[in-house]
């Protein structure tokens, strides 16, 4: 119940600042529009063509990859980092609530509207592509686990604030990784095969490139299950790393607080 209050408070705060939502989606549409314009120019001049992607499918891929990224936000990294640097983490640690659980509930509340919109997009484009209900359900399950995996990674990155003095390099690094390794500029399958075989399993790709590719050019149930297993593996690794970093980070934090 205590996490429900955090979720509702986060959702209420998100809905209060509706202008931020409009700007967020407006800027995403603008970014996707620019990307589509560039790729249309490349296709029209036959300067570059992405294998297995017609121009229409490529446009849908870019749209889905960038809009899915709105639900898999990097915001938890900087919320936790700000709490650490400002000292507000102390207040949270004194409460009978899990740090991970509180941030997860807040994150779900903050992203709830985007999650609903993206689920509608998944169903719409899935139906448009003729994907079966069973496969769409499997994709939704995959996205849920991918969300926990990605959130765990963001918490780890946020805890680097225990050691970092300036946070702006962290923001630039995370954003760059998301854009480059998440397939938000182009399908990762366009990379050389030796590179793609490795990079397709990175956490950023798993939350944007994989579902976008599933809804455009298609993936078999076996392939999606394979990515789900990789996602669960990343989640386990991130949770172990999270506990280790939190343990050492809190020792440093409590030492600073006691000075």
């Amino acid at each position: 119940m205590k996490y429900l209050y955090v979720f509702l408070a986060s959702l209420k705060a998100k809905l209060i600042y509706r202008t931020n939502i409009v700007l967020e989606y407006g800027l995403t549409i603008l970014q996707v529009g620019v990307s589509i314009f560039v790729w249309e120019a490349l296709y029209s001049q036959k300067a570059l063509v992405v294998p297995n992607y017609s121009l229409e499918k490529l446009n849908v891929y870019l749209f889905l990859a960038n809009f899915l990224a709105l639900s898999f936000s990097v915001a938890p990294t900087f919320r936790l980092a700000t709490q650490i640097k400002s000292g507000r983490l102390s207040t949270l640690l004194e409460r009978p609530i899990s740090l991970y659980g509180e941030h997860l509930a807040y994150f779900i509340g903050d992203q709830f509207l985007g999650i609903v919109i993206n689920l509608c997009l998944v169903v719409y484009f899935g139906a448009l592509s003729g994907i079966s209900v069973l496969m769409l359900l499997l994709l939704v399950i995959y996205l849920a686990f991918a969300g926990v995996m990605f959130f765990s990674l963001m918490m780890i990155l946020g805890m680097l604030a225990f050691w970092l003095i300036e946070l702006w390099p962290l923001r630039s690094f995370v954003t760059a990784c998301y854009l480059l390794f998440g397939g938000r500029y182009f399908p990762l399958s366009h990379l050389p095969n030796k590179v793609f075989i490795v990079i397709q399993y990175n956490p950023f790709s798993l939350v944007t490139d994989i579902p976008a590719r599933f809804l455009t050019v298609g993936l078999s149930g076996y392939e999606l299950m394979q990515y789900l297993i990789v996602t669960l593996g990343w989640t386990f690794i991130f949770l172990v790393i999270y506990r280790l970093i939190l343990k050492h980070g809190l020792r440093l934090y409590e030492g600073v607080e006691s000075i």
Side-chain angles (χ1 to χ4, degrees), residues 1-42:
M1 183 61 69
K2 53 191 176 183
Y3 296 109
L4 178 60
Y5 291 137
V6 176
F7 164 80
L8 293 175
S10 175
L11 177 60
K12 183 178 179 181
K14 184 74 172 183
L15 294 176
I16 288 175
Y17 298 101
R18 290 181 291 274
T19 304
N20 291 343
I21 300 175
V22 174
L23 288 174
E24 186 177 35
Y25 279 87
L27 289 173
T28 301
I29 291 173
L30 180 62
Q31 178 182 342
V32 173
V34 172
S35 297
I36 289 175
F37 177 79
V38 171
W39 280 106
E40 284 185 343
L42 292 173

Side-chain angles (χ1 to χ4, degrees), residues 4 52 68 80 82 102 136 163 195 207 212:
L4 178 60
N52 302 323
L68 284 170
L80 177 57
T82 302
E102 192 274 346
L136 282 178
W163 293 273
V195 177
V207 296

Side-chain angles (χ1 to χ4, degrees), residues 3 18 21 29 89 116 138 168 181 188-189 230 242 245 258:
Y3 296 109
R18 290 181 291 274
I21 300 175
I29 291 173
L89 183 64
V116 172
L138 181 60
W168 67 263
F181 301 130
L188 295 182
S189 56
V230 173
Y242 166 80
I245 295 182
S258 63

Side-chain angles (χ1 to χ4, degrees), residues 71-132:
S71 295
F72 299 99
S73 171
V74 299
T77 294
F78 306 108
R79 179 173 181 253
L80 177 57
T82 302
Q83 288 178 337
I84 293 171
K85 303 307 293 186
S86 65
R88 292 199 301 269
L89 183 64
S90 300
T91 304
L92 184 59
L93 293 174
E94 292 172 356
R95 297 175 182 174
I97 191 171
S98 162
L99 176 65
Y100 186 94
E102 192 274 346
H103 274 264
L104 180 58
Y106 185 94
F107 173 71
I108 295 174
D110 186 61
Q111 300 299 321
F112 187 75
L113 180 61
I115 292 172
V116 172
I117 292 174
N118 279 327
L119 282 177
C120 293
L121 290 176
V122 165
V123 172
Y124 173 75
F125 283 103
L128 204 63
S129 302
I131 299 174
S132 67

Side-chain angles (χ1 to χ4, degrees), residues 146-160:
V148 176
M149 179 273 297
F150 193 77
F151 171 80
S152 301
L153 173 60
M154 293 302 103
M155 290 293 284
I156 291 173
L157 295 176
M159 285 189 294
L160 295 179

Side-chain angles (χ1 to χ4, degrees), residues 119 134-147 228 231:
L119 282 177
L134 182 61
M135 289 298 292
L136 282 178
L137 180 60
L138 181 60
L139 176 61
V140 171
I141 294 173
Y142 167 82
L143 288 173
F145 282 109
L228 177 59
T231 299

